Amino acid sequence: MLDVSRLLLLGLVAGLLYVLHRRQSRDPREPPLVSSRIPLIGHLVGLLWHGLPYFDMVTAKHPHPICTLDLVFSKSYLVTSPPLVQAVQRNRKSLSFDPFVSMTLERMAGIRGPVLEQFREKESGGQGLGHDVVHAMQPTLSGRGLDVMNERMAQMLRPRLDELVRLPTIDLFDWCRRVITAASTDASYGPLNPYQDPRVEDAFWDFESHMSPLLANFLPWLTARTAWKGREAAVAALVKYYELGGHEEGSELTYVRWKTMHDAGVPTEDIARQEVSMAIGLLSNSVPATFWVLYDLYSRPDLLAEIRAEVREHAMRVDADQRHIVDISALRDQCPLLLSTFQEILRTRSVSAPTRFVLQDVLLADQYLLKAGGVLNMPAASVGRTTETWGSTADEFDPRRFIKSENKNPRRTGGFMTFGVSPVICPGRHFACSEILALAVMMVLRVDVTPVDGVWRVPPMNAQAITSSMRPPKEGIAVRVTPCQDSEGVEWDFEVKAGTGAFNLMVG
Ligand code: HEM
């Protein structure tokens, strides 16, 4: 009988032979191969070490319109030119996002066996339920469903902002995480929201912020213990939520997702697993995006003063009871500088790298052969910041870049990739934009914030939080909070006008 060490050795040799065979079978029409300093495993190690910005580091050094990275077990084609992004968009059948959904359900959510095959995309022999769930939920994130979520979100934000005024110092990132988690999950799950329990909230963030070893899917309870334990605790809390009928009182989003899976015969535990992966969509970008909006506003006092004045004049009113009311839809419609600054922050802080799987061999733009089984990424920091798209100031922070005027049209194809690239555009962007702007605006109107050590220092990024494309920091920043003089003793509230929730900002 073979012992374990011999089996491992055999596995290693087989793996090496496979990798060498794949390298030799490269077609000369494939995009140029970029070598790494450490042979064979260099790019894989780089990606695990640096997270998504690794793609930008590679493309900055190798300015090809498209190149190939060997990631040992798969090939990644990195697209860096806007015309090639358009060619990717034209090949939507062969270059598909759908396998990404089933991959994350397997590796991230821990769904296996026949249920995984139910979720898997039809092109790969599955029953396509993953696609059906996304399709069913999309309308719930606009229209009346969105209005209800926005109302609940605003109700949750207000008391937390009232409380902030009384806190002398906070960790800015941790504070954003607590507040956005509370507001987003309450809006989504309703009165029985399982994330109201701080243990479940912490378990979710353990899962999210230690994600990359979990995705390797190799003995996850051992090799990715923190993420695995966190996920299992969140799954158990969601199972209880469904058993108590929490989804009957939650948002349309949560109900429709549950119904689509339940009607297809998915067991409750797997519905809960799917839902934990949904919380990644709900939170993992909104939290760091809120942090960066606050960081980029408070660290630019002149811009902050202009934005405060604009909001006071166009999106805030004082009612008969002297309450100061911020109208969320007016932030979008009446505050061009705020809206432009917001988009510029998203443009400059995003490290999104929209993904497509190569389902069959494709000759991209009649020139580059992409082989079936490969993965394609379009890193925002390269494609989304080219001078051909944004002009000579592409690398600069220009808060007025997105202001529309007669002689300036900020809409450019393939340039703004924070919310993905058509046809895969984030369906939660309307909710995210209202939430982030509502929180940031009410905060800047009510308090001043300065770093405790006196300097705004960019914190290092958490590379293990690989599902977030908004540079989640690894450590927070301690800041001092001082109430603004003219806002003290004043009561504040939000106004959410029905039917105005859509933030149709620029997308790629
Ligand atoms: C600032 C906040 C957000 C950012 C930057 C963001 C970004 C993105 C991006 C880039 C994608 C496409 C992924 C790819 O092509 O690889 C995406 C997809 C998605 N997002 Fe968001 N997102 C945000 C907030 C949200 C929220 C609040 C929700 C839920 C309410 C959400 C739900 C989703 C879902 C379900 C998908 C998958 C869509 C599909 O499969 O077609 N996102 N998001």
Side-chain angles (χ1 to χ4, degrees):
M1 222 171 78
L2 282 173
D3 62 23
V4 176
S5 55
R6 282 193 197 187
L7 261 180
L8 279 175
L9 190 66
L10 208 68
L12 198 71
V13 172
L16 268 176
L17 286 175
Y18 168 73
V19 169
L20 287 174
H21 164 75
R22 228 197 38 213
R23 291 201 135 203
Q24 278 160 5
S25 67
R26 244 183 74 76
D27 189 297
R29 290 169 303 165
E30 279 186 83
L33 185 70
V34 170
S35 58
S36 59
R37 256 196 287 161
I38 312 173
L40 283 183
I41 56 166
H43 291 308
L44 187 62
V45 172
L47 192 58
L48 288 175
W49 189 260
H50 297 284
L52 291 177
Y54 183 68
F55 288 147
D56 305 316
M57 291 160 68
V58 170
T59 53
K61 274 201 223 142
H62 302 276
H64 306 292
I66 182 167
C67 63
T68 309
L69 296 195
D70 194 334
L71 294 176
V72 186
F73 301 106
S74 71
K75 239 177 226 181
S76 173
Y77 300 115
L78 293 187
V79 169
T80 65
S81 94
L84 286 186
V85 170
Q86 287 166 20
V88 171
Q89 290 172 313
R90 284 195 295 274
N91 282 282
R92 56 182 65 186
K93 283 236 163 82
S94 321
L95 303 173
S96 165
F97 179 70
D98 286 351
F100 189 75
V101 178
S102 37
M103 189 199 86
T104 54
L105 290 181
E106 180 182 10
R107 290 165 184 250
M108 207 163 83
I111 296 178
R112 304 168 210 287
V115 180
L116 182 63
E117 295 318 307
Q118 240 182 312
F119 279 110
R120 199 182 296 288
E121 62 287 350
K122 287 188 175 148
E123 295 84 343
S124 310
Q127 292 161 42
L129 182 60
H131 184 271
D132 295 347
V133 173
V134 175
H135 189 70
M137 66 183 254
Q138 270 165 352
T140 72
L141 284 164
S142 59
R144 182 66 196 139
L146 177 63
D147 287 343
V148 176
M149 281 182 73
N150 280 342
E151 279 157 21
R152 283 203 193 136
M153 170 269 286
Q155 275 166 17
M156 288 302 286
L157 287 184
R158 206 196 57 171
R160 278 158 177 87
L161 286 152
D162 290 346
E163 181 192 70
L164 174 70
V165 176
R166 296 189 288 275
L167 300 173
T169 55
I170 53 167
D171 177 317
L172 190 58
F173 182 63
D174 189 59
W175 187 81
C176 290
R177 189 156 75 176
R178 301 251 167 231
V179 177
I180 295 289
T181 305
S184 307
T185 57
D186 247 60
S188 193
Y189 298 108
L192 295 182
N193 172 16
Y195 296 95
Q196 274 168 2
D197 179 343
R199 284 167 305 182
V200 179
E201 182 191 338
D202 288 345
F204 170 79
W205 286 109
D206 276 349
F207 162 57
E208 195 272 356
S209 55
H210 296 83
M211 183 67 77
S212 47
L214 190 68
L215 294 183
N217 205 20
F218 177 69
L219 308 177
W221 56 92
L222 189 70
T223 56
R225 190 141 188 89
T226 309
W228 179 82
K229 263 180 79 180
R231 178 187 77 196
E232 295 305 305
V235 168
L238 274 152
V239 168
K240 219 159 128 196
Y241 169 80
Y242 290 120
E243 285 170 357
L244 293 170
H247 54 290
E248 307 276 350
E249 298 171 60
S251 63
E252 204 183 319
L253 168 71
T254 295
Y255 182 77
V256 161
R257 288 172 50 79
W258 171 82
K259 190 168 175 357
T260 312
M261 290 185 265
H262 181 261
D263 289 357
V266 176
T268 303
E269 186 192 317
D270 289 310
I271 297 181
R273 290 188 178 280
Q274 228 278 7
E275 199 56 40
V276 169
S277 75
M278 175 64 210
I280 297 277
L282 191 64
L283 299 170
S284 117
N285 286 313
S286 295
V287 168
T290 307
F291 168 80
W292 288 118
V293 169
L294 293 171
Y295 183 105
D296 284 335
L297 290 180
Y298 279 115
S299 58
R300 293 183 167 84
D302 294 343
L303 176 62
L304 178 64
E306 275 188 88
I307 286 180
R308 276 178 170 154
E310 183 185 69
V311 172
R312 278 183 182 282
E313 192 177 342
H314 300 293
M316 195 197 90
R317 65 185 167 84
V318 181
D319 74 3
D321 299 323
Q322 294 304 304
R323 288 182 323 143
H324 289 34
I325 316 271
V326 172
D327 175 352
I328 297 181
S329 56
L331 299 177
R332 176 198 54 209
D333 299 334
Q334 312 290 335
C335 301
L337 179 60
L338 170 74
L339 198 66
S340 173
T341 303
F342 174 54
Q343 292 178 90
E344 182 68 345
I345 294 170
L346 295 179
R347 184 185 81 90
T348 50
R349 294 293 181 187
S350 168
V351 284
S352 81
T355 308
R356 302 290 183 265
F357 283 71
V358 187
L359 297 182
Q360 58 201 47
D361 288 3
V362 176
L363 201 57
L364 193 69
D366 296 327
Q367 197 178 352
Y368 300 104
L369 178 68
L370 310 184
K371 288 189 121 179
V375 177
L376 179 146
N377 286 99
M378 298 165 272
S382 342
V383 192
R385 278 173 227 158
T386 56
T387 45
E388 57 187 302
T389 305
W390 297 109
S392 58
T393 62
D395 284 333
E396 290 167 22
F397 182 90
D398 173 4
R400 290 181 163 72
R401 186 183 302 278
F402 291 87
I403 294 180
K404 287 180 198 155
S405 66
E406 273 174 15
N407 52 9
K408 191 168 131 196
N409 177 13
R411 282 194 179 259
R412 290 167 193 144
T413 314
F416 188 82
M417 305 176 66
T418 308
F419 291 113
V421 168
S422 172
V424 186
I425 299 293
C426 172
R429 65 193 188 284
H430 307 296
F431 177 74
C433 292
S434 289
E435 180 175 47
I436 297 166
L437 282 179
L439 184 144
V441 159
M442 175 107 38
M443 187 156 160
V444 301
L445 289 178
R446 298 181 66 176
V447 295
D448 271 316
V449 162
T450 46
V452 167
D453 69 4
V455 188
W456 284 103
R457 259 185 265 278
V458 173
M461 193 190 127
N462 177 4
Q464 280 202 16
I466 195 110
T467 53
S468 176
S469 57
M470 285 306 303
R471 279 183 207 272
K474 199 166 164 184
E475 54 201 54
I477 301 183
V479 294
R480 193 166 286 119
V481 179
T482 324
C484 298
Q485 270 181 358
D486 51 359
S487 79
E488 279 193 281
V490 171
E491 211 183 307
W492 291 80
D493 209 345
F494 291 108
E495 180 170 19
V496 178
K497 287 186 182 142
T500 65
F503 267 74
N504 282 318
L505 302 181
M506 186 174 179
V507 289

